[in-house]
Amino acid sequence: MASTVDAGERTTATATARTTERARAAETTTTNDASGRRRRPMRACLIVMCGKPSSGKTKTVRELAERLEREVETEVVVADEAGVNARTRDEAYENATTEKMIRGALRSEVDRVLHTSGPCVILDSMNAIKGFRYELWCAARAVAARYCVVYVESSDERCTELNRARRDDDMKDSYSEEILRDLCYRFEHPIAGNRWDSPLFTFRPATDTGVHREDLFDAICAHVRGDATRTTPSARALVPNKATQNAPLSDTNWRYEMDRATQDIIDAILSAQELNGGCCCSSYTFGEGVPTLRSPRVLTLAELRRRKRDFLQLASKSLKTTRQSVQRLFVDELQRRVDDPASFR
């Protein structure tokens, strides 16, 4: 009999283990892309490129996107100026107004494609203003995505040289000499100590060796995966807070329920005073769970309505609790006002 019981227990344990394995497999089910390649579930990550104009950012983006798709096996979306700007480079940066429009269009594109469940978004632009990088950091935090800055560092002389080579080849993404100098002069270098510039991965095309460049790509891929053994704790997804989160929508009838709960308190006070011949009652009781209100004078309807309106204006923005709790807080507010005679003038 004992052996029969043990065999049954082993069979049950084996079946349970198989069920658990199937459940885990279902949770990590991969999907196929258009080419039939199996992909892991998408991971939300915002990679902000940063660098002076004509420093080699787009070339780095192409290599990085290819590495991410191959090694991390996640969907990669590249948002760049060409996708939101119909003007030439000189027209886009000839004055502050058009430059601001380009930044706004890039920010809108990031908000459109970046979601909690993915994909990995690479923003290919100069992103030269630290305030704009802070906005992007807040956008990533709002959807609990990972975030990093990839800085392609290059000297003004090298940028000028590369830009001339592009102009000689009649490429549309070249700048005029005047606008190039102005953009390089106004460029705000990222600082790793800033939250919106961290973690910071710096490429130096003029001096980087092939091995160092590969190490940087490996580190970025590990960051996107969230591999804590190969990256810093900053690889964790950003946590949204009240500053970066939209206010939750309240229930449709919650304001009505709060209004009814406070009105019941007012009706009870007026009813007690009416039964007392219009005189004041020393105390007012409202049932279990609600404190007793003590007042040395008559509470008029106009006064109670004013206190109710003030209470609802504050409570409806931050309070989300039960009907009884609303009544208890309202009575506490009335008691505080009663204890201060000047408040009822």
Side-chain angles (χ1 to χ4, degrees):
M1 179 65 69
S3 61
T4 302
V5 173
D6 292 342
E9 291 178 350
R10 285 195 299 270
T11 302
T12 302
T14 302
T16 302
R18 290 176 178 173
T19 302
T20 303
E21 290 176 359
R22 285 195 297 269
R24 290 176 179 173
E27 293 175 355
T28 59
T29 299
T30 58
T31 58
N32 296 334
D33 58 11
S35 62
R37 185 172 57 185
R38 295 172 68 82
R39 290 186 181 276
R40 298 177 184 175
M42 293 185 296
R43 299 166 177 80
C45 182
L46 176 59
I47 301 176
V48 176
M49 301 300 297
C50 182
K52 296 176 181 179
S54 299
S55 59
K57 297 184 296 298
T58 301
K59 179 182 177 181
T60 304
V61 167
R62 286 197 294 266
E63 296 181 31
L64 178 58
E66 181 182 352
R67 290 286 294 268
L68 289 172
E69 290 181 341
R70 185 177 67 248
E71 297 184 11
V72 184
E73 298 180 354
T74 186
E75 181 184 1
V76 178
V77 175
V78 178
D80 55 12
E81 295 179 13
V84 300
N85 176 31
R87 302 180 177 89
T88 64
R89 290 293 180 89
D90 286 347
E91 292 173 342
Y93 292 99
E94 64 182 355
N95 56 61
T97 301
T98 56
E99 185 176 341
K100 186 176 181 180
M101 291 174 61
I102 294 298
R103 288 199 301 271
L106 289 171
R107 169 64 192 275
S108 297
E109 181 67 10
V110 169
D111 290 338
R112 186 182 68 83
V113 297
L114 185 64
H115 303 283
T116 303
S117 58
C120 178
V121 180
I122 303 177
L123 180 58
D124 183 13
S125 182
M126 288 185 295
N127 301 313
I129 301 176
K130 61 183 179 182
F132 183 57
R133 295 196 295 269
Y134 175 74
E135 290 182 19
L136 296 170
W137 179 80
C138 289
R141 186 172 185 175
V143 296
R146 297 188 182 99
Y147 174 90
C148 69
V149 174
V150 177
Y151 177 33
V152 181
E153 185 178 357
S154 185
S155 64
D156 293 356
E157 292 76 13
R158 178 177 173 81
C159 291
T160 302
E161 183 180 327
L162 292 175
N163 184 67
R164 286 174 181 170
R166 290 180 179 180
R167 192 166 57 249
D168 293 340
D169 294 337
D170 294 330
M171 297 181 67
K172 296 182 179 179
D173 58 349
S174 61
Y175 301 84
S176 66
E177 295 287 343
E178 182 181 357
I179 290 182
L180 181 68
R181 286 195 302 269
D182 178 64
L183 292 175
C184 290
Y185 177 75
R186 293 190 292 110
F187 182 79
E188 298 178 357
H189 297 266
I191 302 174
N194 296 334
R195 291 172 296 170
W196 52 89
D197 291 334
S198 177
L200 179 63
F201 302 95
T202 302
F203 288 84
R204 297 179 178 87
T207 58
D208 280 347
T209 62
V211 175
H212 180 66
R213 194 174 179 86
E214 290 296 315
D215 289 342
L216 285 173
F217 282 128
D218 289 341
I220 296 172
C221 290
H223 176 79
V224 174
R225 283 194 301 266
D227 187 357
T229 61
R230 301 186 60 185
T231 60
T232 62
S234 59
R236 295 191 297 267
L238 298 176
V239 180
N241 58 11
K242 287 185 178 181
T244 58
Q245 253 182 337
N246 292 328
L249 297 177
S250 59
D251 295 340
T252 305
N253 62 340
W254 176 239
R255 178 61 187 260
Y256 171 78
E257 292 296 333
M258 292 180 64
D259 184 272
R260 289 307 311 162
T262 52
Q263 187 61 43
D264 288 346
I265 298 295
I266 293 176
D267 292 343
I269 294 174
L270 296 177
S271 177
Q273 291 180 158
E274 183 180 357
L275 292 176
N276 199 32
C279 300
C280 107
C281 302
S282 58
S283 62
Y284 303 87
T285 57
F286 309 100
E288 185 179 359
V290 181
T292 299
L293 175 65
R294 303 184 184 279
S295 174
R297 69 188 195 88
V298 174
L299 303 178
T300 65
L301 177 60
E303 294 169 340
L304 292 172
R305 282 180 174 174
R306 187 167 64 251
R307 293 307 159 201
K308 171 188 171 183
R309 183 178 64 250
D310 295 342
F311 174 79
L312 291 179
Q313 285 179 348
L314 294 175
S316 61
K317 296 179 181 179
S318 58
L319 190 61
K320 191 70 173 177
T321 182
T322 63
R323 175 187 176 89
Q324 187 181 73
S325 297
V326 171
Q327 292 181 329
R328 184 170 61 250
L329 292 173
F330 182 52
V331 172
D332 289 341
E333 174 66 12
L334 289 177
Q335 188 66 67
R336 187 174 69 86
R337 296 294 184 175
V338 166
D339 294 340
D340 181 14
S343 63
F344 272 92
R345 290 178 183 174

